[in-house]
Amino acid sequence: QVQLVESGGGLAQPGGSLRLSCATSRRTFASDFMGWFRQAPGKEREFVAATRWSEGFTIYTDSVKGRFTISRDNAKNTVYLQIDSLKPEDTAVYYCAAAQTRAEIASKPRYWGQGTQVTVSS
């Protein structure tokens, strides 16, 4: 079983930055790919970004390219999501996820965190 715990959300002003963290209890073959999703009020959950523990692989959804950066610290079993130039439309619950394959991490990850709220407002 893989446990994921997010942190780092909160209230931020437009134009500001936040860094979300996702700590995982263990790294396994089944959780080789790590990703972030978000769900805004009244909207479906959407894929944001993904990376892989074992190589420098990263992917982003088009709407966040240039503002979001996903990274990992293998020694700490932690994945990060740096969000810059925050916009009100970034307001959402952000979820960390883990999966075995590239296809799964962008669509139906096996493991999920509990989510962390990000609110962008002046």
Side-chain angles (χ1 to χ4, degrees), residues 6 9 21 61 65 69 74 85 92 110 116:
E6 303 98 330
S21 300
T61 191
K65 287 180 180 178
T69 304
N74 288 34
S85 302
R110 178 180 302 182
T116 185

Side-chain angles (χ1 to χ4, degrees), residues 4 22 33-37 47-51 70 79 95-99 105:
L4 307 174
C22 173
F33 288 82
M34 298 291 294
W36 289 94
F37 285 69
F47 169 78
V48 173
T51 188
I70 189 169
V79 174
Y95 296 91
C96 179
I105 194 60

Side-chain angles (χ1 to χ4, degrees), residues 43-121:
K43 296 186 177 181
E44 294 186 354
R45 190 176 300 186
E46 65 171 348
F47 169 78
V48 173
T51 188
R52 187 178 185 184
W53 292 113
S54 57
E55 64 182 33
F57 157 81
T58 59
I59 55 172
Y60 299 91
T61 191
D62 287 344
S63 63
V64 306
K65 287 180 180 178
R67 295 194 302 118
F68 288 33
T69 304
I70 189 169
S71 62
R72 71 199 191 284
D73 186 330
N74 288 34
K76 296 182 178 180
N77 287 353
T78 300
V79 174
Y80 304 97
L81 185 68
Q82 177 72 33
I83 309 175
D84 297 318
S85 302
L86 280 161
K87 303 177 180 180
E89 50 264 43
D90 293 324
T91 295
V93 178
Y94 284 72
Y95 296 91
C96 179
Q100 184 173 333
T101 69
R102 176 174 177 168
E104 290 174 349
I105 194 60
S107 58
K108 293 183 178 181
R110 178 180 302 182
Y111 304 105
W112 292 93
Q114 81 288 351
T116 185
Q117 176 71 47
V118 171
T119 302
V120 183
S121 175

